[in-house]
Amino acid sequence: MKIKFFGAAKTVTGSKHLIELWDNRRIMLDCGMFQGMGKDTYPMNAHEPVEPSSIEAIVLSHAHIDHSGLLPKYVKDGFTGTIFATEATYALCEIMLRDSAFIQEADVRFSNKRKGREGKDAYEPLYTFSDVEQTLSQFEVIKENEKFHVVDGVKATFIPNGHILGSAAIFLEIDEINEHTNLLYTGDIGRTNTALIKNPEPTPQADVIICESTYGDRLHHNTTDAEQELLDAVLHTIKEKKGKLIIPAFSLGRTQEIVFSLNKLDLYGLLPSVKIYVDSPLAADATAITKQFAHLLNKEVQRFCNARPDPFGFGKLSYTKKKEDSQKINASNEPCIIISASGMADAGRVKHHIFHGIENERNTILFVGYAEPLSLGGKLQNGENPVTIFGESKKVKAEVKIISSMSAHADYEEMGNYLSIQNPNEVKAIYLVHGEEKAQLAFKNYLNGKGFKNILIPEFGESVVPPYGHLQEGEGSPLE
Ligand SMILES: [Zn+2]
């Protein structure tokens, strides 16, 4: 068996890990889109390092676009196999992928107008709405913790990993001509005791692990501190500064978590009188699906529902779907809280809110999740000033704050706990993905300290035969 890493190698987006069996049959774990990588983003997504028609099946860990976003492109270009996912992941992919096609088509129309004026070749959208519909027809829904047949010789189990609704680690049992391998792909590992999602579940013993490493060099605060930090930011911005609190947030996961936290603060009578907008049609849809799968959420949500029936709806809060309503929020000078996508502030309506609000010291831009260093969110988090938004240089006068403890990603101790169920002597290799190299090197050291050996950090396009690393086949070169 070989593993080929076609994304999330020394970076956090574009997750795609190809498993090539002894007889050259291929399955892929996730089919994610690269995001927030500046001008490299489009070519990295347009280039397919493996022929899609040569892949027999794709197993999907969760619905976030950096794990699912290129499924329609692979289908468009010849992938005809089954996409295995949990029921909630499928329901979320329906809205996430349709939204992604909509964004592709709109973005391409916008840039082609400019390119046309400059006499340059036009872009093509990565995929369209009809590719998404075909993709959705190739899904097969699988129950959590039930072993299923992927292809001959490969069985898999989804084990909930606490990251977002429907997310799971993938445990593969691979039988080859003279070898059996238990391979654990962690997906994105969630935190313990988060606002909404149940804790990650234990996994069986693995021989080989593909492990995420986003926060391999960081410890988060306690999850209960996050609510206090959120309240502090609200009171400081709304009551003291009388400004706008702009919160860039992934439509799926983070938005529902913040809304639930604000709902709790409101129930306890701690929130000032303020209008709260969730300004994202996708977030409104993702919230509706989260409600539909409320039985998958943790006990705290169930308890809360005894006091207030809707964890994601209360008097001060409204969901804005129409563009005109979003523009009205921009035009208003009233203090308010705006929760809007994208989380990296690179696209979506939040970019407009930041564009209009960044040069006013009364406002606060509050980040509650990870952002690629090259994205607008990453630059603001790193203190860059001025920043360029929509081609205009903007002075950063608004306060920029970060609450990292709201992250849906485990810190290094939590990831260590997640792996602590594994006997290190039986794990032959751990491949670290989904992290920047600095975090990966720190996490490698940490895991070494826990007794794990042979921890490898693959490059993009690298091909390995476990338990080894660095079986080079040329970086990113296409495989026929
Ligand atoms: Zn994720």
Side-chain angles (χ1 to χ4, degrees):
M1 175 183 70
K2 282 182 196 162
I3 309 173
K4 300 180 178 184
F5 300 92
F6 290 137
K10 298 191 177 175
T11 179
V12 302
T13 65
S15 283
K16 273 176 238 80
H17 312 301
L18 189 80
I19 311 288
E20 198 168 86
L21 305 172
W22 64 282
D23 52 2
N24 293 326
R25 286 177 305 128
R26 291 166 172 168
I27 60 172
M28 197 151 78
L29 305 175
D30 288 345
C31 190
M33 188 183 273
F34 290 100
Q35 294 175 303
M37 310 192 84
K39 61 178 178 5
D40 293 337
T41 315
Y42 180 85
M44 286 177 83
N45 285 323
H47 163 78
E48 276 156 355
V50 54
E51 176 56 49
S53 63
S54 73
I55 303 168
E56 283 192 36
I58 297 178
V59 191
L60 186 61
S61 70
H62 66 295
H64 273 151
I65 286 296
D66 64 320
H67 292 256
S68 71
L70 285 188
L71 284 168
K73 172 148 172 60
Y74 276 60
V75 166
K76 172 186 164 187
D77 294 338
F79 171 70
T80 56
T82 303
I83 301 159
F84 296 98
T86 65
E87 192 186 1
T89 295
Y90 170 69
L92 290 166
C93 277
E94 278 191 289
I95 56 164
M96 299 292 285
L97 295 178
R98 284 177 186 148
D99 178 77
S100 175
F102 176 78
I103 293 172
Q104 308 290 322
E105 295 185 56
D107 275 2
V108 163
R109 261 197 310 275
F110 180 77
S111 2
N112 284 349
K113 253 194 223 162
R114 206 183 52 217
K115 285 188 147 219
R117 281 199 299 271
E118 293 166 5
K120 292 184 185 157
D121 287 345
Y123 280 128
E124 240 192 78
L126 291 169
Y127 49 82
T128 61
F129 212 76
S130 72
D131 300 316
V132 170
E133 296 311 302
Q134 175 57 38
T135 304
L136 292 169
S137 75
Q138 287 173 228
F139 269 75
E140 187 175 327
V141 163
I142 301 288
K143 274 213 168 72
E144 288 86 351
N145 294 314
E146 277 186 16
K147 201 185 284 190
F148 61 97
H149 171 98
V150 182
V151 294
D152 285 345
V154 181
K155 291 192 170 63
T157 311
F158 285 120
I159 304 166
N161 63 0
H163 173 58
I164 58 164
L165 188 71
S167 76
I170 301 167
F171 188 77
L172 294 170
E173 294 164 64
I174 302 171
D175 276 309
E176 297 186 279
I177 191 148
N178 48 16
E179 196 178 22
H180 177 89
T181 310
N182 286 341
L183 188 151
L184 171 67
Y185 169 45
T186 64
D188 290 357
I189 306 171
R191 305 199 59 197
T192 42
N193 304 322
T194 60
L196 291 179
I197 306 294
K198 287 181 189 165
N199 289 346
E201 293 182 18
T203 54
Q205 182 67 45
D207 309 307
V208 176
I209 301 175
I210 302 174
C211 184
E212 78 126 317
S213 51
T214 316
Y215 286 117
D217 58 349
R218 259 188 264 181
L219 284 180
H220 300 317
H221 290 143
N222 208 308
T223 39
T224 47
D225 295 341
E227 251 153 46
Q228 184 60 48
E229 287 178 60
L230 179 65
L231 179 62
D232 291 345
V234 170
L235 295 175
H236 174 60
T237 310
I238 305 298
K239 284 198 90 171
E240 289 170 25
K241 297 200 294 174
K242 309 222 176 320
K244 290 180 179 174
L245 178 64
I246 302 168
I247 309 178
F250 278 126
S251 305
L252 166 56
R254 203 63 39 79
T255 293
Q256 290 75 34
E257 230 171 72
I258 295 164
V259 167
F260 181 55
S261 295
L262 290 171
N263 199 352
K264 270 195 285 181
L265 294 169
D266 187 54
L267 177 68
Y268 302 149
L270 297 170
L271 277 193
S273 163
V274 61
K275 283 189 181 141
I276 305 169
Y277 302 101
V278 175
D279 185 22
S280 152
L282 180 61
D285 293 343
T287 304
I289 290 176
T290 309
K291 258 192 249 179
Q292 192 189 321
F293 287 91
H295 58 281
L296 294 180
L297 303 176
N298 65 23
K299 281 202 188 103
E300 196 187 345
V301 184
Q302 322 290 346
R303 263 200 306 274
F304 179 88
C305 289
N306 294 330
R308 273 190 182 175
D310 186 354
F312 309 113
F314 57 107
K316 296 184 171 73
L317 181 99
S318 55
Y319 290 85
T320 329
K321 281 200 163 183
K322 285 198 214 126
K323 200 167 125 194
E324 300 77 55
D325 294 336
S326 171
Q327 286 162 340
K328 271 187 210 152
I329 305 172
N330 265 330
S332 155
N333 276 328
E334 232 185 293
C336 64
I337 301 172
I338 305 164
I339 304 156
S340 182
S342 73
M344 298 195 197
D346 238 14
R349 291 181 180 177
V350 79
K351 199 170 167 185
H352 293 269
H353 293 300
I354 293 177
F355 181 83
H356 290 285
I358 197 166
E359 294 195 311
N360 185 341
E361 57 279 343
R362 288 193 300 147
N363 299 334
T364 304
I365 303 167
L366 176 67
F367 288 97
V368 288
Y370 187 86
E372 280 278 3
L374 282 180
S375 65
L376 176 59
K379 288 175 183 170
L380 288 170
Q381 290 191 25
N382 289 327
E384 202 168 298
N385 187 6
V387 288
T388 305
I389 312 175
F390 297 124
E392 254 181 59
S393 174
K394 290 274 185 187
K395 285 209 183 82
V396 185
K397 290 189 187 159
E399 270 178 84
V400 175
K401 288 194 170 172
I402 306 166
I403 307 180
S404 72
S405 48
M406 275 218 159
S407 174
H409 284 272
D411 60 28
Y412 67 80
E413 260 180 24
E414 289 167 318
M415 290 195 286
N417 287 341
Y418 184 74
L419 293 181
S420 66
I421 198 158
Q422 301 285 333
N423 176 351
N425 298 322
E426 289 182 36
V427 177
K428 297 186 190 105
I430 300 182
Y431 298 96
L432 297 184
V433 295
H434 205 291
E436 283 165 39
E437 194 173 12
K438 188 170 141 273
Q440 296 185 312
L441 290 169
F443 192 45
K444 177 178 169 165
N445 274 338
Y446 178 76
L447 289 179
N448 276 327
K450 295 263 169 196
F452 290 99
K453 294 170 287 286
N454 203 28
I455 298 155
L456 300 145
I457 300 175
E459 301 279 343
F460 175 78
E462 192 171 346
S463 185
V464 300
V465 176
Y468 307 104
H470 307 289
L471 181 88
Q472 288 288 353
E473 279 203 353
E475 266 189 35
S477 63
L479 300 169
E480 293 313 322

